[in-house]
Each structure stands twice: as C-alpha cells, then as structure tokens.
Amino acid sequence: MINVDKILVEMTLKEKIAQMYLQYYQGYDDLPENLKELNRKNLLGGVIFFSGNNVRDIDQLHNMTKKIQSYAKENKYNLPFLLTIDQEGGQLTAIFNGTTIFPGNMSMGFANDENLAYLQGKHVGKELKYAGINICYAPVLDVDYDVKDGVPVVDNRRFSTEPQVVADMGSSFIKGLEDEGILACGKHFPGMRITKVDTHFQVDRSPYDKERLENVEILPFRKAIEKGVSCIMTHHGIFEALDHEYPASLSKKILTYLREDLGFQGLIVSDDLIMKAVLNEYGEKESIKLAINAGIDLIISTCASEWFVDYVYDCVINGEIEQSKIEESVKRILEYKKKANVGEIPDKKEYDSNYGKELSAKIAAKGLILYKGNQEELPIRIDKEDKIGIILGNPARLVMSDATNLYDISLKDLIKKKGYHSNLKEAIMPWHPTDEEIISLADVGIISDVLIFTTVNAYRFDRQIEVLKEFRKFCPTKKVISIATRSPMDAKILAEYSDYVIITGGLTPSILEGVSNAIFGKEKFEYNKAKEFFCR
C-alpha cells in the first residue's frame, strides 16, 4: 500500500518532478536500459504506450507490464508506475489483437443507450486490467457541432452532435471503466472543434463566447466531473472566451476554471506537447514550463526523454516554475496511484471474449441508421445464382488519430461466413480513384445483379461518387445498397444514386456484421432521438 504522506516527505524535488512525466519508448518486451536506470535513481513515474511501438497483442502487453511493474522494488519507495494508453474503441483501439473491437463512439452515440455504454466501459476495463493499464485516454467528450454549409461536420471518434448524448454516453462509459479500477480520462478539454485546422499541425482558435462553450462543449465535461472522472486531457486549441492568448494545455486561466468553476479535483493530463500547435509556437522546453505553471499534472511530450527532470528542476530553482505546482501535482499523482492499485495486475483474464463480441455486435446493430429505403422490403430477396458486387471503400488508417488498420476487413468474407450468399465479387475502392479505377470499379457493379457500395468520407473524397455515377450510366435500374461507413455526411450524396442508404458511424467487423444482418437477415433498424438529424 502506498503511504502518500510518508513518501512526499522523503522525496527530493527531482524525484517529485519525475512522477509528472510519462516516458515513451519503442519496444515490446521490456523497459529499455535507460528507463531501468532512471527507476533505480527514483526518477521514473509512468509510461505512455502506443499501438505501433509497444503493442502486438494483449498477452504480449500483459507480460511486458508485469515485468515493468516488477522493477518497482528497485526504487527507494517501491513505487509502481502509471501505465497508460488510448483504448477508445473503433479506429482508435491501441490494443487491437486479443481485445474486443467495439464499433466506436459515433456508433454508440447513435445507439444512445447508457447501459450499453456502461457495459462497454466495464468490459474494456476488465481487458485493460489484464493488460496492466492504469489510465485509459478515453472517452472523447468533444461534441460534433461545427457546421459547414448547414451540415454538422462530424468525426466518428465522437459520440454525437447533441451535447447531452455525449455527456450521457461518456459518463456511462467512464463509470464502467472506473468500476473496474481503471482511471478514465475524458478529452479534449474544454472541447475540441472539428475544423480543417488539425492541432497535430497548427493551432485552432475557438471564437465561441463563454455561454456557448458552457452549453455545448463544456457540458459533457461537467457531467463527467459530477460522475467522478479521474483524469481530464487538455486540448491545444485557443478558446478566446476563456483565454485569448494561450492554448488550453498551457493556460492557467482555463485550468483554474476547470479546478475552481467546475470543481475538478482529479489528474489533468496534457495532450502530446510535440503536436505542432504547441511545438511551433513555444518549442518543446518552453511548452513544458508553461504547462506545469498552468496546472498540468501529467506531461506527455514524446521528445523530452531524460532531460525533462533536469530542465524542470532548473526552472524551479531559477524561479521560472512554481514549486507549489510540483507539490500539488505529485500529491495528486500518488493519491491516484493508490486509488487505482497501480502495480496490481491479475495473472488470469477476468473477462469473457465471447461476451465482448456479443456486446460489440449489439451496440453496432443498435447504432445503424437506415437513411433511405423501406425497412419493410428488407431483407432483400436474391436468387442463389445472382451475383452480388461489393465495392468497399478503403478501410485503412485515414487520419493521425487512427491507431487501427483494418486492411484485411472484407464484407464479402463476412457475408459468406454468415451463409447469406456465396456468389460475390469484391473490390477495394481507393479514396481518390483515378479515371481508370473508376471505370474498373464501376464494372464490378455492371457484371453484378445487386451492388453494395461503401464509402469513406466521400463528402471530401468525392471521386468515390464518380464510381457510382459511372455504374448508373449503364445500370439505371439495378438495386444499389450504399453504406456510409465513416461519415454520415456521405448519406445525402449517396441517396441520389442508391435504393438504400445505411449510415454506420464507423467501420469495424461488428459493424459490417450488423449491416449484413440488416440487409440479408432479420436485424431491424431502431430509431431514437439521437438519430433524428441523420434520419431526415
């Protein structure tokens, strides 16, 4: 058991500073020697894992985290380490092999079921507990709210355009995680906008007034805080109504608002400070100094490495960083290490993988939207000899936040496996098909009796629609079932050329299974208030 008060009295300033930094390394089996040496000097507090750099599967991660926590006995205080990762579900599922691949937040938002959100959080918590993870950087509490040409610009990492749906789904997921002893981390405070400005590359400025922020962007965070979320991650955007100068991750005004106005007493985590929104303006060292003075407890800066402690120490000695900020943060960190029983990793799995798959399928099915078409005409009737053509929008990683590559996903294989039909032809459609590819892909539909056509953000990559147009030149009456697999904004474009349009909110195996069941089986589309905008 961690004796927080005793350790705080004995710790040196450098040892305290080290607790605030989440180290990063590349490796799948063990800590590198430099981090082991830092631990022996009492200078290792925690680690952030990334899918491509640290994770092959859940058993590999379990074995590595067990080994990492065994080194706690080599530091003076026997202090275990905070081990952290992104496990949101959908396209950002860092532990991909051996875990349940849930449909993703947008699909859950369409389902709008607090109990399912809680059960997902609880199941993910059981998986993460076995994996040795203490902080899960989830859920995303940002609201899909920005508008382009009168239409919300949406992202499937987010639950909804409705702040209350985001609040309800996020808080339920949080409770499920924390009931299993995993510290949930709501992000990205005070609410990341969806714009063409990606903070991986440049800073975004939010022009909204304080009333709007509190009624929309901040509302889900307020509920999460009321429900006891342990961690909150900050956004690198500038929110002019709260602080017109500094991005939230570096803003004392915004983090004071989070503490005093919203009453948050947990851990505040920075998003990665090497993102260019921060790095280009402040540099890697100045941003760390500003973040700590603003009130960040846990620093993610994947370039900092071993110089972090000495740099922050010198800033404290020189009066550039308030030592009180270090003291407050480290006390919180140690208290949360104690709360989460950090270092205790079960030897055996305490979850049922089959149950996880069933739960994922239930969420995916409830999250489907029939945008166009008569449900009474489903399942479709097709003769055994008829050919189904499938044009599958490239399911691979699309943006920086995608951690999951779904290159091997196949709607054809799934339909065959379910026994729905066997005469199928499938082709992968690039996001930007060339003129030659458009002709070739259209031919898949031309030689088929029924066409299933899926898109990936065709509202942006509009040459995907040219395939459908080319097909319709030759086959104006053949049945077309179109599926907007990534963005609901594709649905309106697809409707002109399709007999049916289905919105999924994501692209995972369980979602494709749900779509197959709805087209060929007995699955029915359910309607609820969270789907209303997209059902119009």
Side-chain angles (χ1 to χ4, degrees):
M1 182 64 74
I2 297 172
N3 188 327
V4 174
D5 293 333
K6 183 175 185 296
I7 292 172
L8 284 172
V9 168
E10 295 181 10
M11 269 185 162
T12 66
L13 177 57
K14 283 191 174 183
E15 290 169 348
K16 290 175 179 175
I17 292 167
Q19 290 294 311
M20 298 177 65
Y21 181 55
L22 294 168
Q23 293 279 355
Y24 154 73
Y25 69 94
Q26 295 185 342
Y28 301 93
D29 303 309
D30 200 354
L31 284 178
E33 190 54 44
N34 67 311
L35 295 190
K36 292 180 187 177
E37 181 59 26
L38 284 179
N39 174 53
R40 289 189 283 268
K41 295 177 180 177
N42 316 312
L43 298 177
L44 181 64
V47 176
I48 179 170
F49 294 127
F50 292 98
S51 58
N53 296 322
N54 307 106
V55 183
R56 288 197 179 99
D57 57 59
I58 193 168
D59 291 312
Q60 164 265 323
L61 188 59
H62 166 84
N63 292 332
M64 183 168 69
T65 57
K66 290 275 276 191
K67 189 179 292 184
I68 289 171
Q69 295 293 12
S70 73
Y71 300 131
K73 61 181 180 293
E74 296 181 12
N75 67 61
K76 176 181 176 182
Y77 309 103
N78 295 320
L79 260 180
F81 317 104
L82 280 174
L83 303 180
T84 72
I85 205 164
D86 290 281
Q87 191 80 350
E88 293 178 11
Q91 287 289 128
L92 213 175
T93 303
I95 314 170
F96 183 67
N97 293 311
T99 62
T100 302
I101 308 304
F102 284 98
N105 291 340
M106 182 176 285
S107 185
M108 176 60 80
F110 288 160
N112 194 21
D113 188 315
E114 291 181 71
N115 184 56
L116 287 179
Y118 170 78
L119 293 175
Q120 178 182 333
K122 192 169 179 64
H123 187 81
V124 171
K126 289 177 184 293
E127 292 179 334
L128 292 180
K129 196 186 325 183
Y130 175 74
I133 298 299
N134 313 119
I135 296 179
C136 177
Y137 299 123
V140 173
L141 295 176
D142 306 320
V143 179
D144 274 331
Y145 202 89
D146 282 20
V147 173
K148 182 178 187 296
D149 301 325
V151 179
V153 179
V154 295
D155 174 54
N156 65 353
R157 290 178 66 203
R158 303 168 186 231
F159 290 109
S160 181
T161 58
E162 297 296 324
Q164 193 60 53
V165 174
V166 179
D168 293 343
M169 297 305 102
S171 295
S172 298
F173 180 87
I174 286 165
K175 184 172 184 347
L177 271 183
E178 302 228 357
D179 279 356
E180 292 300 324
I182 305 299
L183 305 180
C185 183
K187 58 189 184 185
H188 308 79
F189 185 81
M192 184 189 296
R193 298 197 308 149
I194 299 182
T195 67
K196 292 181 179 178
V197 179
D198 183 342
T199 51
H200 285 92
F201 305 107
Q202 65 185 102
V203 72
D204 178 46
R205 302 187 76 97
S206 174
Y208 304 132
D209 61 28
K210 188 175 180 182
E211 181 180 5
R212 147 66 196 247
L213 289 174
E214 291 186 330
N215 289 335
V216 178
E217 281 78 10
I218 292 172
L219 187 149
F221 290 95
R222 187 185 297 276
K223 180 167 182 178
I225 291 166
E226 290 171 356
K227 296 297 182 180
V229 67
S230 293
C231 311
I232 286 178
M233 179 180 284
T234 55
H235 178 44
H236 294 331
I238 292 175
F239 293 79
E240 295 177 346
L242 301 176
D243 186 342
H244 69 276
E245 182 177 4
Y246 290 107
S249 297
L250 312 182
S251 170
K252 185 178 291 188
K253 290 179 181 177
I254 291 177
L255 299 193
T256 299
Y257 171 85
L258 176 59
R259 292 283 188 211
E260 295 183 0
D261 291 54
L262 299 184
F264 180 61
Q265 299 303 311
L267 295 170
I268 302 177
V269 187
S270 74
D271 208 343
D272 197 339
L273 295 178
I274 69 158
M275 291 165 65
K276 291 184 179 179
V278 169
L279 190 65
N280 287 355
E281 183 69 25
Y282 303 99
E284 56 187 349
K285 291 189 174 180
E286 181 72 12
S287 63
I288 289 170
K289 179 172 69 177
L290 289 169
I292 294 174
N293 278 331
I296 297 287
D297 298 309
L298 287 169
I299 299 286
I300 300 174
S301 180
T302 49
C303 283
S305 191
E306 296 181 30
W307 54 259
F308 177 89
V309 170
D310 288 337
Y311 168 70
V312 175
Y313 177 82
D314 289 342
C315 286
V316 174
I317 298 304
N318 296 333
E320 298 175 77
I321 289 179
E322 302 170 46
Q323 185 166 344
S324 62
K325 294 290 187 184
I326 308 290
E327 304 290 344
E328 291 167 8
S329 291
V330 175
K331 188 173 193 300
R332 269 191 290 269
I333 291 166
L334 295 185
E335 285 172 344
Y336 274 89
K337 282 189 174 185
K338 181 177 180 179
K339 174 187 173 182
N341 295 314
V342 173
E344 295 183 12
I345 303 172
D347 293 321
K348 295 182 179 179
K349 297 174 182 176
E350 299 174 354
Y351 58 90
D352 182 342
S353 296
N354 289 327
Y355 167 78
K357 289 178 183 177
E358 291 169 4
L359 179 60
S360 180
K362 187 178 292 187
I363 295 167
K366 194 166 185 179
L368 296 176
I369 297 175
L370 183 61
Y371 179 86
K372 180 183 179 182
N374 186 349
Q375 179 161 257
E376 301 308 312
E377 295 174 2
L378 296 173
I380 64 167
R381 292 167 178 81
I382 184 166
D383 292 337
K384 186 177 180 181
E385 297 76 20
D386 288 344
K387 175 172 289 208
I388 297 176
I390 301 171
I391 298 174
L392 189 69
N394 185 2
R397 183 180 181 190
L398 179 63
V399 294
M400 288 288 291
S401 56
D402 288 352
T404 304
N405 291 319
L406 296 166
Y407 295 111
D408 297 329
I409 203 166
S410 169
L411 186 53
K412 171 186 172 181
D413 290 349
L414 185 58
I415 293 170
K416 277 189 172 182
K417 184 179 178 181
K418 298 284 290 186
Y420 288 133
H421 203 69
S422 58
N423 189 8
L424 302 114
K425 166 69 177 174
E426 183 176 72
I428 301 295
M429 175 173 61
W431 301 324
H432 297 279
T434 63
D435 289 344
E436 292 79 8
E437 287 168 334
I438 288 169
I439 293 170
S440 175
L441 289 163
D443 196 50
V444 173
I446 292 168
I447 65 172
S448 303
D449 299 288
V450 174
L451 177 63
I452 299 177
F453 185 80
T454 85
T455 58
V456 175
N457 289 11
Y459 77 96
R460 285 178 54 206
F461 308 133
D462 56 7
R463 285 182 65 82
Q464 294 173 49
I465 302 300
E466 295 302 315
V467 175
L468 206 48
K469 289 180 182 179
E470 181 71 14
F471 160 78
R472 277 302 194 203
K473 285 181 189 177
F474 302 96
C475 305
T477 60
K478 281 188 180 179
K479 186 169 289 184
V480 176
I481 302 164
S482 290
I483 306 164
T485 65
R486 182 96 182 197
S487 172
M489 293 173 67
D490 291 359
K492 186 175 181 180
I493 308 168
L494 289 167
E496 184 178 348
Y497 309 99
S498 310
D499 300 286
Y500 297 88
V501 178
I502 299 170
I503 297 171
T504 67
L507 178 57
T508 64
S510 62
I511 284 177
L512 289 188
E513 182 177 356
V515 168
S516 299
N517 292 340
I519 295 172
F520 299 103
K522 297 180 180 179
E523 196 72 65
K524 295 296 181 184
F525 295 91
E526 296 183 27
Y527 291 90
N528 63 61
K529 195 168 181 61
K531 296 178 179 179
E532 279 185 1
F533 177 89
F534 297 106
C535 291
R536 289 205 292 261

